[in-house]
Amino acid sequence: MGWFHAPGVSSRPAVSILAKADGRPAGAGVLLPRRHLLTCAHVVNSALGKDMLAPDHPGPIAVSVRLHGPEHTVEAHAELAVWIPPRPDDGGLGAFEWNGDLAVLRLNVSPPPAIEPPRWHPMAKRQLVRAWHGSGEPGVFADAEVSACDGRFGYFDGAERALDIEPAYSGGPLWSNEEGAVVGLVTAKLRVQGTLRRAWGIPWQRVARELDDAGAGHLLPRQPAEDMRDHPAYAELVALLDGPLPLSEGWVRCCRTVARQCGLGHRADGVPTAEEFAHLLLTRGRALPALVEAVRGTAGPVADDLLAIGRRCGLPKLLSPGEHERLLVQLRALPAAAAAGVPGAVRAALPLAALPAALLTGGDGHHEGHHDGDSGDGTGRGGRFEALISHVEGLHGDSSAGDDGVMPAVPGLLRAVEFVAAGCCPAEQRAALRRWNAAVARRLGVHDAALMDRRHDAEQWARNASRGAAPRVVAELDRCGAAPGGAPGGAPGGAPVAAREDDPERYRLRLWCDDGDGLRQVSDDTERPRGAQEVAQEIFAAVGSLRRPDPSGPRPVIELIVDRDALEVPVDRWKAAGPGAVLPIRLGTPYPLVVNCPELRELNGGTMLDQWRERWARLDAEEPVHIDDATAPDPEAVCGLLMERLTARVTVDVAAHRRTGVVQMCLAAGVPVVLWDRSGEQGSPAVHYAEGASAGQLPEAVRIYRTKTLQRPEEYTGRPVLAWADAGRALPRLDLVDPTE
């Protein structure tokens, strides 16, 4: 065993295989690279409730598993990828032995960063091994000594005063602390007379052979014994690490720092050889950044040489483990509204980079059901941030090295962090992110002036973006019955109320203003019923209270939160007329007015919320879809159009009796932008007028059309309604009200 070695905790099995019937551990498993894990085939049979040694392939099945990290446990599913059945009828076997009995499963999630596949080493006689119960409980293990091993089977005898190996140990690792590696899998306990506690397992030698024969050898981890001398960076690293640095007083401290950051143990004396250290730097992704970080303060030229080797040879990881964890902690701590803006900031920082859409769906930090942006426990947010960091840190910078090749480029990740800090963070967190960025830049040798250039770009973008995000008034309307002498409030069967401009309904009203600093409630007496004119007056008053530091910026937007039965209430035509009013202005004329219906998005337990966020992220990329009676004559056809791709913008122009159903299907499917005409006129001129506008211009285009209906009503006969649900802007907390009250 070398100077570096896996710590003792790594012997604990990272995976529990759970029984389908009762969820209890059926056995354990060992993590492999690329989201795979290895266990015994009979453990899979046991988890499925089948005979343990049944040889037939179980088919396309999945089992529940638990991934045990140092700090938390993750529930996951794993699909069967490789099946090597037990073979008790192979020739030359004893009564208690069988060949085969291996299964490889593929996880549906990436393991937590703290869990990495262990090293493997051949099993040999007299090795002291430890087997762990499939529950993964840290104190439930059995110690034993390998008493015989012929490369096909390994027998091990339990130590005195040690736990006995039980069935739930099967499939778990046999860990050798001396080798710092797994040497085989626990397979079966022998039922023999006397006090001897004997079990047998599959040695690493046979594991490798069986998987190779099954065409799955590529799934096994590369072994330290493999010769790394062919790697293009190996010789350079060995020469550098064999130089003056190891003779310096601080070298031991640097080696221990790298071991700690990489989650490794180390010997108490001596230092690693140059060859062993080079091997570590080439096989553990963040080891080289960790070494650069350790030596930067005392051996700057060596740090520069290490970075240059990494760049030339394409070593992908930019951050040390500590830097990576500190960035994750800061991003996870962002308020929900700030976290929702992170994907847009990254996209703005790296406009030419190929960023997968799945990483940019603006859902981080949103926890539907808490419309003020409460992020819950942040687990999902952290996972998405981790994937985003992992992708962006592998991108090239936005500048090249100097003519002499000495000045390093500014990595894309550092530019992205500057944009996140400038555009998404409150002041205290902005300063913390910038301190993190400056520390990483120093470690990478990036000049302060270059980083300040990126900060200037980010601040300019943030100023422009804040001017581009229109201030808004959010108004929640809750129908509470007709005014005295008026018509009843609802139509039979829950149909929408007819679009009457002289609306006799009474409404409860809650108002919030959002002028760039978040939502603040501005309404009083929210339970008092109001008529249409009074609602319009209060909304106009709220618009007047908005702080608009740039009067030349976009017009404020009025966003109405309504239920599904109020989507076509003609709020845009309500007049704020009262005693002494000179200008009876309609609500939808001076400002863009849109509707938002969270109720429909949250149907079916909110299963379409991720679709809504991803559709919103594609608003400018996807082509709009037009739905009319010819293209979608029935609900199935409408559904097909909506699900064919992640459409973000739909125009609806169908017969009046179908319109409500089609619009509600669009909103329930998570389409964030839907335009239709409540006048019921076929070939809607309002839809035709507005559909030529870009997505960002659509609210203003609808507003302009509404002004034209006042100027030339005989020519502009449409009554456009625009549903607009921005996944990047938080909604207030909405308390559900009993509609019968």
Side-chain angles (χ1 to χ4, degrees):
M1 184 170 64
W3 192 85
F4 294 108
H5 61 81
V9 71
S10 295
S11 58
R12 179 182 170 196
V15 184
S16 297
I17 313 294
L18 305 180
K20 187 175 182 180
D22 56 14
R24 300 181 66 180
V30 183
L31 200 63
L32 297 178
R34 297 177 294 278
R35 287 169 49 181
H36 288 84
L37 64 93
L38 177 68
T39 187
C40 288
H42 81 259
V43 172
V44 175
N45 279 334
S46 180
L48 297 175
K50 301 175 61 177
D51 179 81
M52 286 200 300
L53 297 184
D56 51 305
H57 195 291
I61 56 89
V63 296
S64 297
V65 301
R66 290 195 186 106
L67 308 177
H68 303 284
E71 298 179 354
H72 61 279
T73 296
V74 176
E75 301 279 346
H77 293 283
E79 298 178 349
L80 183 62
V82 178
W83 179 252
I84 303 175
R87 301 192 302 272
D89 54 351
D90 279 3
L93 298 180
F96 304 106
E97 298 173 340
W98 54 84
N99 283 319
D101 199 10
L102 293 171
V104 177
L105 306 172
R106 178 172 172 79
L107 294 163
N108 69 333
V109 297
S110 295
I115 305 177
E116 292 192 357
R119 291 177 61 247
W120 290 78
H121 191 276
M123 184 184 290
K125 188 176 179 180
R126 296 192 180 88
Q127 284 173 339
L128 299 177
V129 293
R130 176 168 287 183
W132 295 77
H133 190 270
S135 65
E137 292 292 337
V140 187
F141 56 84
D143 288 328
E145 180 179 358
V146 178
S147 54
C149 179
D150 63 0
R152 291 193 307 157
F153 303 98
Y155 287 90
F156 38 95
D157 298 335
E160 288 187 35
R161 302 180 65 186
L163 291 176
D164 201 4
I165 289 178
E166 298 295 339
Y169 285 73
S170 291
L174 283 165
W175 175 263
S176 166
N177 205 50
E178 182 181 3
E179 303 295 347
V182 175
V183 298
L185 299 184
V186 180
T187 307
K189 176 183 177 181
L190 271 68
R191 303 293 180 181
V192 295
Q193 297 294 328
T195 60
L196 182 65
R197 289 174 293 178
R198 177 164 291 171
W200 68 270
I202 305 174
W204 160 247
Q205 298 92 307
R206 178 152 73 87
V207 168
R209 190 165 58 251
E210 295 265 15
L211 263 63
D212 279 335
D213 291 346
H218 63 284
L219 299 177
L220 294 173
R222 297 181 64 184
Q223 293 307 305
E226 293 183 26
D227 194 349
M228 297 299 297
R229 283 177 286 188
D230 292 336
H231 193 286
Y234 181 81
E236 288 186 88
L237 288 171
V238 169
L240 182 63
L241 297 171
D242 215 13
L245 183 63
L247 302 178
S248 66
E249 186 177 340
W251 182 238
V252 173
R253 176 188 55 78
C254 291
C255 295
R256 290 175 176 173
T257 298
V258 172
R260 175 179 50 78
Q261 284 226 41
C262 294
L264 297 171
H266 59 80
R267 283 170 43 186
D269 60 338
V271 293
T273 65
E275 291 79 8
E276 182 186 1
F277 216 144
H279 185 277
L280 178 74
L281 299 180
L282 295 175
T283 55
R284 193 167 284 254
R286 301 194 184 278
L288 189 141
L291 179 58
V292 173
E293 189 175 31
V295 304
R296 170 59 73 186
T298 56
V302 174
D304 292 335
D305 290 343
L306 287 166
L307 289 168
I309 293 171
R311 285 193 294 269
R312 283 198 303 272
C313 300
L315 300 183
K317 298 300 184 183
L318 178 75
L319 303 179
S320 72
E323 291 166 342
H324 181 264
E325 182 60 27
R326 289 190 290 274
L327 179 57
L328 268 180
V329 167
Q330 293 199 41
L331 293 178
R332 287 169 177 161
L334 289 175
V342 169
V346 174
R347 194 164 42 229
L350 306 170
L352 301 181
L355 299 173
L359 301 181
L360 296 176
T361 51
D364 284 325
H366 280 277
H367 186 274
E368 208 63 355
H370 296 278
H371 294 289
D372 58 354
D374 181 8
S375 63
D377 62 6
T379 303
R381 180 197 304 183
R384 183 162 296 171
F385 282 150
E386 187 170 350
L388 187 59
I389 293 170
S390 179
H391 182 83
V392 173
E393 72 175 328
L395 300 178
H396 295 295
D398 61 346
S399 62
S400 59
D403 294 337
D404 56 1
V406 174
M407 293 301 296
V410 180
L413 178 64
L414 269 60
R415 178 177 172 86
V417 168
E418 288 294 341
F419 274 65
V420 170
C424 303
C425 297
E428 184 176 343
Q429 288 163 305
R430 181 185 309 124
L433 264 184
R434 285 175 171 172
R435 286 194 297 271
W436 179 92
N437 227 21
V440 176
R442 284 193 297 272
R443 198 261 300 168
L444 295 173
V446 173
H447 198 280
D448 289 346
L451 188 63
M452 289 304 104
D453 284 345
R454 305 310 174 277
R455 185 166 299 173
H456 173 78
D457 293 344
E459 290 172 340
Q460 183 65 43
W461 166 78
R463 284 193 293 269
N464 293 338
S466 64
R467 285 197 293 267
R472 60 178 178 153
V473 168
V474 179
E476 182 193 8
L477 288 179
D478 173 35
R479 189 186 299 113
C480 56
V497 174
R500 298 176 49 177
E501 296 178 20
D502 57 339
D503 194 340
E505 281 283 327
R506 309 287 283 177
Y507 297 87
R508 297 185 185 94
L509 176 68
R510 287 201 291 171
L511 291 170
W512 294 264
C513 285
D514 182 359
D515 36 29
D517 294 329
L519 289 160
R520 52 188 172 88
Q521 188 165 351
V522 296
S523 53
D524 295 321
D525 197 11
T526 57
E527 294 303 309
R528 178 174 57 84
R530 299 157 169 81
Q533 290 186 356
E534 194 174 1
V535 168
Q537 287 173 335
E538 291 191 37
I539 292 176
F540 276 133
V543 174
S545 73
L546 285 168
R547 296 188 298 273
R548 298 181 63 193
D550 183 5
S552 64
R555 295 172 185 257
V557 173
I558 300 169
E559 183 174 350
L560 298 178
I561 308 299
V562 297
D563 61 31
R564 63 194 300 181
D565 294 335
L567 282 166
E568 295 198 358
V569 172
V571 182
D572 57 287
R573 299 185 69 83
W574 289 355
K575 300 174 185 176
V582 177
L583 288 173
I585 304 172
R586 297 180 188 270
L587 197 54
T589 303
Y591 308 108
L593 183 146
V594 299
V595 297
N596 195 340
C597 186
E599 175 193 0
L600 285 169
R601 284 198 302 277
E602 294 167 10
L603 292 177
N604 305 316
T607 55
M608 302 306 290
L609 291 175
D610 284 341
Q611 286 253 337
W612 163 54
R613 293 166 180 141
E614 191 162 357
R615 289 175 189 271
W616 177 262
R618 296 171 182 255
L619 182 60
D620 295 318
E622 291 285 347
E623 289 293 321
V625 166
H626 181 74
I627 296 178
D628 55 29
D629 291 318
T631 59
D634 52 46
E636 287 75 14
V638 174
C639 187
L641 277 175
L642 297 177
M643 298 303 168
E644 183 177 3
R645 61 181 192 269
L646 287 169
T647 300
R649 175 179 168 187
V650 172
T651 51
V652 177
D653 189 5
V654 298
H657 71 279
R658 299 185 59 214
R659 186 177 68 247
T660 297
V662 172
V663 167
Q664 293 195 10
M665 285 183 69
C666 293
L667 298 177
V671 178
V673 178
V674 183
L675 174 67
W676 71 96
D677 189 337
R678 67 170 180 267
S679 71
E681 183 178 356
Q682 289 289 106
S684 165
V687 169
H688 179 71
Y689 178 89
E691 65 184 356
S694 68
Q697 297 170 337
L698 200 54
E700 178 65 9
V702 171
R703 185 197 71 80
I704 292 173
Y705 185 91
R706 286 169 177 155
T707 66
K708 294 181 183 296
T709 65
L710 302 180
Q711 300 167 22
R712 300 193 293 279
E714 70 288 342
E715 182 180 349
Y716 292 89
T717 58
R719 298 292 182 266
V721 184
L722 178 62
W724 184 274
D726 186 338
R729 301 193 78 171
L731 289 181
R733 186 183 299 277
L734 303 179
D735 298 325
L736 299 179
V737 177
D738 186 343
T740 63
E741 292 182 359

